[in-house]
Amino acid sequence: MLRRTAYALLVLTLAGTATACGRAAPDPATARDARGPITVWLSNNAQEVRWGRQMVAAWNERHPGQHVTAQQIPAGKTSEEAISASIIAGTSACLVFNTSPAAVPTFQKQNGLVSLSDLPGGDAYIRERGGSLTDQYRSPDGEFYQLPWKSNPVMILYNKKLFRQAGLDAEHPELATYDQFLDTSRELVRSGAAKAAIWPSPSSDFFQPWYDFYPAFAAQSGGKQLIENDEPQFDSPAGRQVAAFWRKLYAERLAPQEAYPGDPMSDGKSAMATVGPWAVAAYKDSVDIGVAPVPTAEGGAGKHSFSDEKSAAMFNSCENRATAWDLLKFATSTGQDGAFLETTGQMPMREDLTTEYAGFFEAKPTYKPFAQQAERVVEVPNVPGSVDIWQAFRDEWTKSVVFGRESTGTGLRNASSKISDLLNEYGDPS
Amino acid sequence: MSVHLQSAPGRSAARGSGTSRPKWEKTPPRRDGGRSRAGALFVSPYVLFVLVVFAVPLVYTVWMSFHRFYFTAPGTDTDSPWVGLSNYRDVFTDPVVGRAFLNIAIFLIINVPLTVGLSLVLASALNSKIRGRAFFRAAFYVPYVTASVALVAVWQFLFGSDGFVNHLLGSHAPDPSWLVNSHLAMPMIAVFVTWKQLGFFVMLYLAALQNVGKELYEAASVDGAGRMRQFFSVTVPGVRPATTLVVIYAIITGANLFSEPYLLTGGGGPDHSSTSPVLLMYQKGIEQGHPDSAAALGVVLVAFVVVVSLAARKLTERGD
């Protein structure tokens, strides 16, 4: 009896496990031309949700047989984790309008993404809409697994009221060079106007360099990516200047070493933040915002910054891919991009935004610097092991720049060496 | 001299010579390997639970740790080649892993003795007739049943760089502050966890103290033992089985530390000074997409916990 019970339990367990793991993906050839209801996921940004709901309503009104349901991405520490979990479970939505380019190599490796290049007119549509900037979003195999959808070029947002309290010129702040930025920061803290001049998170998360190091490196290096031609680029004069600049901010306590449990800019604890245009709408009720470019050692206009871009991607679990592709084109059409800009203040990945949507930028001039910056943005490198690579960089940055436990030169050299090893490892997985 | 009830003369006499069973004593039910259908039926849900929730994942984890493996979409034809000890080699050569185990060792060295000492002393105090006993019992238990996230907020209010404690200390406050100081971050987490879990261990000791005979205290008192002497000669030996349980439970929960460094020190703290092995498993397995390395790390952690727990058990049961 015992043996039979044990066998029965084992069979049940294995059957249950097999059933849970055995949710098959749709046949690609059938799914490619299939039409029908689909689900799309949106980020949990309130303005994006509002845009998404009106976009889906407009679609559903015109396509009653191809009903689209919009939901927010399931809760998780990051959207990438939630999406990755859904790929493994076979429960991802057809389209996700919040796919980080840094996560695309991982999703590809998980066989979670549909190549948009394989869809009718895929490559041509992406190139036509986004122009030359879209080349940064091709995967190493030359195909597009993401549609570059919107960018949030990172700039310096500052609190005019706190600047005035510190006796600084709030309309023409001196933030262009590293020396000016440091002097302004010292004045902000010394005067007691703000606890911190600037407060990016000093935590060890792999994505934090996108809001301190990377925008400054893009500006200082003339638009270099972290990795180009399979070589790390940051152990260079430009990288060392950026690291030394941030090291001074931390060493002089102008930027705190401890993460703030909330939004320090919104709470009036910090006078500046490195953020994209989404923050203009988010801060509009609490902060009188001014915008300035990311500083460089020498100052000057026309510098690059990090794009903080999010793509739209189609997932392998999608059974009605023809509908999904049509919806993707509808959601990124000139009209919907205009509605998106109007509702969220974020920049659709299009060329000549200021000409195309001139009315918007005339009515809301705060956004114009972001639109101009959007023409000079640098993306994260689209390489396998992207998350590992950023984590390796962040670990050394935290040690050398945030806490000063080794020289910034040593930190960058160590990070470069580790990342070279990772590139070799991912290039030769055997 | 220790007295064993089993060999007491009265009991021996009642059992006769000890070589034959008295007639009035019933034959105990034979252990027949689970031939009772009802019994098998009753235990089957639990057996199923253990299989599904523990056994299958454990076996799968060990399998993953010896293969090159990553999670993929359903229906994907993925090769998971045998890589032998490669994942373990990665684990043992990663300096961050070494740092994580050192952190856990620091944590356990602070947390376990503090937990045992404080909970036993508090339980002894709460076991005596003091005013407001019910209030204190509840007060110590409240942090245990409160969500970690809420308690972390309290801790940050107290020990943040701009927190209450630093306001009191003024220029004597540590620099960098408590939770971002590479020497203080892990001890702070150990103290936080001790405080949070104290109520549970106090409860365990309170239950154990009910079994320590009052006559032992009376006898000790008659022999002239003071309260301290009674504590060390009667209470401590009397609750030794509970101490073993507390120590092993504290080691197991401590070795599985995750949410406190994750929430208190921003995901591992300054320069990995509060990274725990489980936090590292999460980063490797979920964030970085290396479930094989994470599985190897998990197996090493299980071995670590088993070795430390067995050593602790030997230590606490010494003299029994």
Side-chain angles (χ1 to χ4, degrees), chain A residues 205-375:
Chain A
D205 301 308
F206 72 90
F207 52 84
Q208 298 298 353
W210 304 343
Y211 308 105
D212 43 33
F213 166 75
Y214 207 41
F217 177 66
Q220 188 64 38
S221 67
K224 278 195 178 301
Q225 287 192 309
L226 190 81
I227 295 161
E228 288 181 1
N229 304 317
D230 292 332
E231 294 283 340
Q233 300 294 313
F234 53 84
D235 187 17
S236 62
R240 283 188 281 277
Q241 281 173 301
V242 172
F245 164 63
W246 275 102
R247 173 79 199 103
K248 272 186 191 161
L249 283 166
Y250 282 111
E252 294 185 31
R253 301 290 189 267
L254 305 170
Q257 292 167 313
E258 196 169 5
Y260 184 77
D263 186 328
M265 181 86 165
S266 182
D267 294 351
K269 298 287 184 188
S270 97
M272 294 183 279
T274 45
V275 279
W278 62 266
V280 176
Y283 292 150
K284 74 175 192 299
D285 296 328
S286 57
V287 185
D288 183 8
I289 288 289
V291 183
V294 173
T296 56
E298 312 81 17
K303 309 286 186 181
H304 287 73
S305 185
F306 169 53
S307 64
D308 198 11
E309 191 268 354
K310 292 291 181 291
S311 296
M314 191 184 298
F315 286 80
N316 252 339
S317 57
C318 185
E319 292 177 353
N320 297 313
R321 294 179 191 173
T323 296
W325 179 227
D326 285 348
L327 178 77
L328 192 51
K329 287 189 284 187
F330 174 73
T332 55
S333 60
T334 312
Q336 282 301 330
D337 278 348
F340 181 74
L341 179 64
E342 187 74 46
T343 313
T344 68
Q346 300 180 50
M347 306 293 137
M349 283 288 284
R350 287 180 169 274
E351 291 188 313
D352 297 328
L353 279 173
T354 48
T355 315
E356 185 84 53
Y357 305 106
F360 171 82
F361 291 107
E362 263 175 43
K364 296 179 177 175
T366 313
Y367 288 99
K368 198 165 181 180
F370 289 104
Q372 289 160 341
Q373 184 68 71
E375 293 167 11

Side-chain angles (χ1 to χ4, degrees), chain A residues 108-185:
Chain A
Q108 254 183 277
K109 190 177 175 184
Q110 291 176 331
N111 197 27
L113 296 174
V114 174
S115 169
L116 302 180
S117 300
D118 288 347
L119 298 170
D123 268 15
Y125 178 75
I126 292 169
R127 280 281 299 175
E128 187 189 332
R129 176 177 177 271
S132 58
L133 282 173
T134 53
D135 284 336
Q136 299 182 88
Y137 300 89
R138 279 187 196 276
S139 288
D141 64 5
E143 301 203 359
F144 283 112
Y145 291 84
Q146 55 186 320
L147 185 146
W149 173 44
K150 51 133 180 178
S151 71
N152 271 295
V154 172
M155 299 190 77
I156 304 292
L157 258 65
Y158 63 94
N159 185 329
K160 288 183 178 175
K161 185 179 153 197
L162 297 184
F163 269 59
R164 280 193 284 272
Q165 276 178 17
L168 298 164
D169 182 349
E171 299 308 321
H172 305 94
E174 297 202 338
L175 296 168
T177 67
Y178 290 161
D179 286 341
Q180 287 176 352
F181 195 98
L182 285 164
D183 285 343
T184 299
S185 298

Side-chain angles (χ1 to χ4, degrees), chain B residues 148 152 192 196 256-265 276 279:
Chain B
S148 281
V152 161
F192 172 82
K196 181 180 176 347
N256 285 301
L257 188 73
F258 174 82
S259 52
E260 286 77 10
Y262 182 74
L263 296 168
L264 261 181
T265 60
S276 68
L279 184 61

